């Protein structure tokens, strides 16, 4: 061993142990992602780094301590990978989840064959869905709506970064999905509307990362979790063009209630619910008839 250098695998094993004892759900993955972040390499390339300096081990240890306090990994690394892009996140904005990428995939499939589509992302948070769709479909015009000022500031920052990287700029709106005049200029014209709203029923016990670091307004959707989704369904009925598509994420307890809300709108057809990769009910889709 080179003098003063330490085996990375020992540092990672120690990090995994600390994170596991702290109740972190995936301690090995998080330990490796923290090491990769400190070293500035992809996780898959850690095997190519057998020995590291003491300063690297200390830097890993500092981040592991904060992760063990259940600060979200993405707040520590500053970024959340989301489909084809990475969005910056931190205090004041919801961390995009991998399962929400399913809405992007479904939405892109729904847009196949539509030239220069008009797309709306309601409850955009960091802008993840809107920006991923804009990145994948440079010919699209993508509007994104967010109520919360600090979330909107993160969305603006991400939108500016993506535009600087060459993606088609998105159009950000400060707005409330409960506003009956929201995006009135787009009524009856939208090809795709996506939304990952707050949908957790109030009072549900959530992990510390969520309880302490995701804004409550981003997580909880009233007593039955459906308060914001009800408004989103109204927006979709008003904004979609005939044949336009809707995808809305929901809680795994809402695999019947959300499709029922969609079906209750006469103008919405082809109502279907979809599971996530773990097989749990995760998002509902429909088309405007
Ligand atoms: C679950 S987060 C989703 C953020 C982003 N779409 C994502 O998937 O990462 C829900 C977002 O909806 C916003 N929100 C809550 N109520 C809203 C409303 N009435 N109108 C617009 N946005 C709202 C919250 O501030 C939060 O940013």
């Amino acid at each position: 061993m080179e003098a003063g250098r330490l085996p990375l695998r020992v540092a990672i094993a120690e990090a995994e142990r600390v994170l596991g004892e702290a109740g972190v759900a995936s301690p090995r993955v998080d330990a490796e992602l923290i090491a990769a972040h400190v070293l500035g390499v992809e996780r898959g390339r850690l095997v190519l780094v057998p020995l590291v300096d003491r300063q690297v081990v200390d830097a890993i240890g500092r981040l592991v301590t904060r992760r063990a306090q259940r600060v979200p990994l993405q707040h520590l690394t500053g970024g959340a990978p989301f489909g084809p892009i990475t969005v910056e996140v931190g205090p004041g904005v919801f961390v995009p989840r991998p399962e929400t990428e399913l809405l992007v995939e479904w939405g892109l499939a729904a847009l196949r064959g539509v030239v220069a589509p008009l797309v709306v992302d309601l409850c955009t948070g960091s802008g993840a869905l809107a920006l991923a769709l804009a990145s994948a479909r440079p010919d699209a015009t993508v509007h994104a709506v967010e109520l919360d000022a600090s979330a909107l500031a993160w969305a603006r920052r991400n939108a500016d970064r993506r535009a600087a990287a060459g993606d088609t700029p998105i159009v950000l709106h400060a707005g409330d999905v409960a506003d009956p005049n929201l995006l009135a200029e787009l009524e009856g014209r939208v090809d795709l509307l996506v939304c990952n709203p707050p949908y957790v029923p109030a009072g549900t016990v959530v992990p510390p990362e969520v309880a302490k670091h995701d804004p409550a307004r981003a997580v909880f959707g009233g007593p039955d979790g459906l308060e914001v989704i009800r408004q989103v369904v109204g927006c979709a009925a008003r904004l979609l063009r005939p044949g336009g598509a809707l995808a809305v994420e929901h809680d795994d307890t809402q695999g019947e209630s959300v499709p029922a809300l969609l079906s209750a709108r006469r103008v919405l057809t082809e109502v279907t619910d979809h599971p996530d990769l773990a097989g749990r009910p995760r998002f509902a889709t429909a088309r405007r008839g």
Side-chain angles (χ1 to χ4, degrees):
M1 193 186 306
E2 291 169 46
R5 307 203 85 207
L6 304 160
L8 179 60
R9 66 179 164 71
V10 174
I12 290 177
E14 172 60 7
E16 179 184 6
R17 184 191 66 73
V18 171
L19 296 178
E21 283 178 7
V24 170
S26 47
R28 180 75 192 185
V29 174
D30 283 29
E32 290 180 358
L33 287 171
I34 286 171
H37 173 68
V38 169
L39 286 162
V41 301
E42 303 221 339
R43 181 177 159 216
R45 301 186 75 82
L46 287 173
V47 286
L48 304 177
V49 188
L51 298 175
V52 291
D53 292 336
R54 161 62 57 193
Q55 294 94 301
V56 169
V57 175
D58 291 347
I60 292 172
R62 282 192 294 276
L63 289 181
V64 167
T65 301
R66 295 188 62 208
R67 183 72 190 98
Q69 293 160 350
R70 307 299 291 272
V71 177
L73 177 72
Q74 298 86 345
H75 284 204
L76 301 176
T77 61
F82 189 77
I85 62 167
T86 295
V87 290
E88 290 184 9
V89 291
V93 73
F94 184 84
V95 175
R97 308 297 206 263
E99 58 267 27
T100 306
E101 292 177 21
L102 297 172
L103 268 73
V104 177
E105 284 167 27
W106 188 90
L108 289 173
L111 289 180
R112 230 169 263 147
V114 183
V115 178
L118 186 55
V119 176
V120 169
D121 172 26
L122 298 178
C123 303
T124 197
S126 62
L129 276 162
L131 293 167
L133 288 164
S135 187
R137 283 295 302 257
D139 61 332
T141 301
V142 181
H143 293 258
V145 176
E146 171 59 49
L147 177 65
D148 186 86
S150 64
L152 193 62
W154 282 101
R156 259 189 230 298
R157 180 193 302 203
N158 284 314
D160 288 349
R161 268 185 49 248
R162 292 306 314 168
D167 284 356
T168 308
I170 64 168
V171 188
L172 277 170
H173 304 259
D176 186 339
V177 297
D179 174 0
N181 294 315
L182 182 70
L183 303 179
E185 68 282 11
L186 305 183
E187 268 174 31
R189 295 173 46 207
V190 172
D191 296 292
L192 171 69
L193 188 151
V194 293
C195 180
N196 176 21
Y199 53 66
V200 177
T204 304
V205 176
V206 293
E209 286 88 345
V210 180
K212 288 196 195 147
H213 299 281
D214 279 326
R217 179 187 261 172
V219 176
F220 298 106
D224 60 0
L226 297 173
E227 253 170 31
V228 178
I229 293 185
R230 283 192 188 90
Q231 306 293 347
V232 168
V233 175
C235 289
R238 190 165 55 80
L239 297 179
L240 290 175
R241 65 158 169 87
L246 163 69
V248 55
E249 187 169 315
H250 58 67
D251 190 66
D252 55 11
T253 61
Q254 296 162 345
E256 290 180 7
S257 53
V258 170
L261 279 179
L262 298 182
S263 300
R265 290 272 170 163
R266 286 259 170 86
V267 293
L268 297 179
T269 62
E270 299 180 34
V271 174
T272 310
D273 204 65
H274 306 258
D276 59 23
L277 298 176
R280 292 179 295 236
R282 185 54 61 203
F283 69 105
T285 58
R287 284 202 179 258
R288 197 183 153 161

